[in-house]
Amino acid sequence: MRIAVLTSGILPVPAVQGGAVENLVDFYLEYNDKHHLHEITVYSCYHHNIKKHPALKSSVNHYYYVDTTSIIAKIRKRLYLRRAGGREFHHFSIEFFIEQVLKHLRKQKYDVIIIENRPPFSLKINKVSDAKIVYHIHNSKLTKESDYAEELYNAADLIICVSDFITNGVKSIVPKDKKCLTVHNGIDLDAFYPEKSATICRESLGLSSDDFVLVFSGRVTKEKGISELLDAILTIKNICKVKLLVIGSSFYGGSNAEDTFIHSLKEKAECIPDRIIFTGFISYDKMPDYLRISDIAVIPSIWDDPFPTTVLEAQAMGLPIITTRRGGIPEEITEENAVLLSTDKHFVENLANAILDLYQHPEKRTAMAKASLKRSKFFNKETYAENFFNAIDTM
């Protein structure tokens, strides 16, 4: 089949600036390149780091780029904003991206168009193409509470969701739905493998070999529960060997600009400055090294996290996990390798107790680490990509 993939219009593919969605697109494109299943054209925003990326040499995957950051593009975006009058579905920059894509789509003939996490794109695409529409939904973008919910649902021929949690949200629109399929995310288990030697050491981060190192990774935003994690550590600050690595920034893409939330976190940590280390953004290829020097991973999401890949990465590295019963997280782990907490009024207290329990019981950590490695085998990128293309073949 001839397939078009419309990315979100924020970060580029290949994922040279990171991004969970963009990495997942790379995984199924890599699988397609290996098995020559389809002719795929990816529509992505441009970034100068893609110029020499090996993925662009593929004979079956092709890339069409929209420049959204040049001076000319910025002028055209402002003109578009005036013309649109603020009545569109998305921020005007994303609207600019899809308008440029539509100009190219009008001249092409595709069998299938895959829309990555932007269901409203379909309402414009249907005006220029008769291709079948597939949504690949990574968060709660389409539920009965969404604007134009029924119209968007009807515009799709297939809806692939990253978790049963997201699938159930879509089914709230049409309870007798027959369009939705769950395809769980995967990761590169060759990259996230605990037995490889690390290129960084604890000492380079101000940590010692006998420290008990917790790691938080991902976007450093309020809904990820990082503030509550700091509160939990402050309640056990008398245990001086407990240290925390906070890996990430407020947004993907390599920016370490501090927003007011990150600034408030650093103010909160000032009373124990040697115990909490903010690394800022770390490129995806370096993530395994930081996980490798950690003892446990804490993913304290206080929102309905759809299916965070940080959980998959942590368990692939053989880490015991402390996380929450939110969104699709319970689909990723088991009670053997993770402590699941409710985000109720006792959350901070229970989070602190869970950290202390694992600190005091190394034998429990060992058992959980083995269980994490076992569980991780269900979420490799090849299985994810195979299931993704199998889902498309059901149309």
Side-chain angles (χ1 to χ4, degrees), residues 178-283:
K178 293 183 179 179
K179 294 182 180 182
C180 290
L181 289 173
T182 298
V183 175
H184 286 143
N185 296 339
I187 62 168
D188 186 350
L189 295 183
D190 289 332
F192 288 88
Y193 183 66
E195 299 304 320
K196 291 183 179 179
S197 57
T199 60
I200 63 169
C201 60
R202 286 188 169 196
E203 288 71 22
S204 66
L205 296 169
L207 300 167
S208 62
S209 58
D210 60 344
D211 281 335
F212 184 65
V213 180
L214 320 177
V215 61
F216 168 97
S217 61
R219 287 184 296 114
V220 184
T221 54
K222 185 176 181 179
E223 66 269 18
K224 291 293 186 178
I226 179 61
S227 183
E228 287 76 6
L229 176 55
L230 293 191
D231 290 338
I233 291 175
L234 288 172
T235 67
I236 56 171
K237 61 183 179 181
N238 57 310
I239 312 294
C240 61
K241 287 299 180 182
V242 175
K243 306 289 178 69
L244 171 65
L245 282 177
V246 179
I247 300 174
S249 59
S250 59
F251 187 68
Y252 296 113
S255 172
N256 277 319
E258 286 190 18
D259 59 12
T260 55
F261 179 68
I262 292 180
H263 184 69
S264 71
L265 294 177
K266 290 187 174 182
E267 285 186 336
K268 184 180 288 190
E270 283 179 352
C271 61
I272 47 171
D274 60 331
R275 306 270 297 282
I276 300 176
I277 300 166
F278 293 87
T279 68
F281 176 84
I282 298 295
S283 62

Side-chain angles (χ1 to χ4, degrees), residues 63-347:
Y63 297 82
Y64 181 88
Y65 288 103
V66 175
D67 188 347
T68 60
T69 59
S70 69
I71 293 176
I72 293 176
K74 289 177 180 178
I75 292 172
R76 293 174 71 184
K77 282 191 287 187
R78 286 187 177 276
L79 292 174
Y80 179 80
L81 178 62
R82 288 182 184 177
R83 194 165 64 248
R87 293 186 298 271
E88 302 292 341
F89 287 110
H90 298 294
H91 186 277
F92 72 91
S93 183
I94 299 172
E95 289 294 342
F96 172 80
F97 169 78
I98 186 59
E99 288 297 329
Q100 302 310 303
V101 169
L102 289 171
K103 291 179 182 178
H104 193 265
L105 282 179
R106 285 187 178 94
K107 305 173 185 177
Q108 306 299 315
K109 181 69 175 179
Y110 292 110
D111 301 300
V112 174
I113 297 177
I114 300 170
I115 300 174
E116 289 289 341
N117 222 32
R118 300 278 187 217
F121 281 178
S122 64
L123 303 184
K124 296 189 174 189
I125 291 169
N126 279 338
K127 295 177 181 178
V128 302
S129 174
D130 59 0
K132 291 183 177 180
I133 300 293
V134 177
Y135 299 155
H136 190 198
I137 301 184
H138 301 261
N139 52 34
S140 300
K141 293 283 187 179
L142 186 58
T143 69
K144 64 180 180 180
E145 286 81 26
S146 302
D147 292 338
Y148 308 96
E150 289 191 15
E151 189 177 359
L152 293 173
Y153 176 88
N154 292 332
D157 295 277
L158 175 68
I159 302 172
I160 301 175
C161 303
V162 301
S163 64
D164 290 336
F165 170 77
I166 298 299
T167 295
N168 291 334
V170 177
K171 287 184 175 181
S172 69
I173 303 170
V174 179
K176 294 183 179 180
D177 158 81
K178 293 183 179 179
K179 294 182 180 182
C180 290
L181 289 173
T182 298
V183 175
H184 286 143
N185 296 339
I187 62 168
D188 186 350
L189 295 183
D190 289 332
F192 288 88
Y193 183 66
E195 299 304 320
K196 291 183 179 179
S197 57
T199 60
I200 63 169
C201 60
R202 286 188 169 196
E203 288 71 22
S204 66
L205 296 169
L207 300 167
S208 62
S209 58
D210 60 344
D211 281 335
F212 184 65
V213 180
L214 320 177
V215 61
F216 168 97
S217 61
R219 287 184 296 114
V220 184
T221 54
K222 185 176 181 179
E223 66 269 18
K224 291 293 186 178
I226 179 61
S227 183
E228 287 76 6
L229 176 55
L230 293 191
D231 290 338
I233 291 175
L234 288 172
T235 67
I236 56 171
K237 61 183 179 181
N238 57 310
I239 312 294
C240 61
K241 287 299 180 182
V242 175
K243 306 289 178 69
L244 171 65
L245 282 177
V246 179
I247 300 174
S249 59
S250 59
F251 187 68
Y252 296 113
S255 172
N256 277 319
E258 286 190 18
D259 59 12
T260 55
F261 179 68
I262 292 180
H263 184 69
S264 71
L265 294 177
K266 290 187 174 182
E267 285 186 336
K268 184 180 288 190
E270 283 179 352
C271 61
I272 47 171
D274 60 331
R275 306 270 297 282
I276 300 176
I277 300 166
F278 293 87
T279 68
F281 176 84
I282 298 295
S283 62
Y284 191 68
D285 63 314
K286 296 291 192 300
M287 279 303 304
D289 286 337
Y290 285 82
L291 296 177
R292 198 170 282 119
I293 63 172
S294 304
D295 292 295
I296 67 171
V298 187
I299 299 120
S301 291
I302 57 175
W303 73 303
D304 288 327
D305 223 335
F307 202 84
T309 54
T310 51
V311 174
L312 303 183
E313 292 158 5
Q315 68 182 4
M317 295 302 297
L319 292 178
I321 298 168
I322 299 174
T323 187
T324 60
R325 300 181 186 277
R326 298 298 297 263
I329 294 175
E331 299 172 44
E332 301 181 77
I333 47 78
T334 69
E335 293 184 354
E336 284 71 39
N337 76 310
V339 178
L340 276 167
L341 301 175
S342 298
T343 55
D344 55 19
K345 63 180 181 180
H346 303 294
F347 178 47

